[in-house]
Amino acid sequence: MAGIKIKRNDKVEVIAGKDKGKQGRVLRVIAEKNRVLVEGVMMVKKHVKPNPQRNIKGGIAEQESTIHVSNVMLLDGDGKKSRVGSRFEGDTKVRFAKTSGATIAEKKK
């Protein structure tokens, strides 16, 4: 089985579900569950208990929830949705956008 082709800090667009059409940056990839955490997408309300030791205020907090990787699509440099392929350039393996053929730049950590 092929691994997840979407990586952290990639810009993606949601293509299915209640947040269809929203765009955001990938905050986290959970490969074991085939899920990604996208900034500002799939917002859920979480009931938080106050904790004075950690300086946490109680109440209802809103946070992102994970979304299945099949429901998001990578945005290429032009901001268009694209599938992801991989090829060798010299001796390094790079990802590229299938729509434009342009390589996807690896972000420095």
Side-chain angles (χ1 to χ4, degrees), residues 42-49 54 56-65:
M42 188 77 176
M43 298 300 282
V44 293
K45 286 180 165 59
K46 184 177 180 187
H47 294 258
V48 182
K49 219 173 181 183
R54 285 202 193 140
I56 295 172
K57 213 173 146 205
I60 301 170
E62 253 197 295
Q63 66 182 37
E64 290 103 350
S65 182

Side-chain angles (χ1 to χ4, degrees), residues 22-52:
K22 283 190 183 176
Q23 295 180 356
R25 191 171 51 92
V26 176
L27 302 173
R28 196 167 155 220
V29 177
I30 304 159
E32 306 83 58
K33 294 183 176 178
N34 283 329
R35 296 181 86 77
V36 288
L37 192 70
V38 182
E39 196 172 38
V41 173
M42 188 77 176
M43 298 300 282
V44 293
K45 286 180 165 59
K46 184 177 180 187
H47 294 258
V48 182
K49 219 173 181 183
N51 188 342

Side-chain angles (χ1 to χ4, degrees), residues 67-83:
I67 186 167
H68 198 270
V69 74
S70 67
N71 295 335
V72 296
M73 213 166 189
L74 190 85
L75 295 174
D76 61 5
D78 307 328
K80 288 193 287 224
K81 293 180 286 196
S82 172
R83 294 189 327 225

Side-chain angles (χ1 to χ4, degrees), residues 75-107:
L75 295 174
D76 61 5
D78 307 328
K80 288 193 287 224
K81 293 180 286 196
S82 172
R83 294 189 327 225
V84 184
S86 59
R87 64 181 173 214
F88 282 95
E89 282 184 6
D91 57 348
T92 56
K93 193 174 186 181
V94 294
R95 295 183 304 155
F96 72 97
K98 295 236 179 158
T99 52
S100 60
T103 58
I104 299 160
E106 292 295 323
K107 308 249 184 338

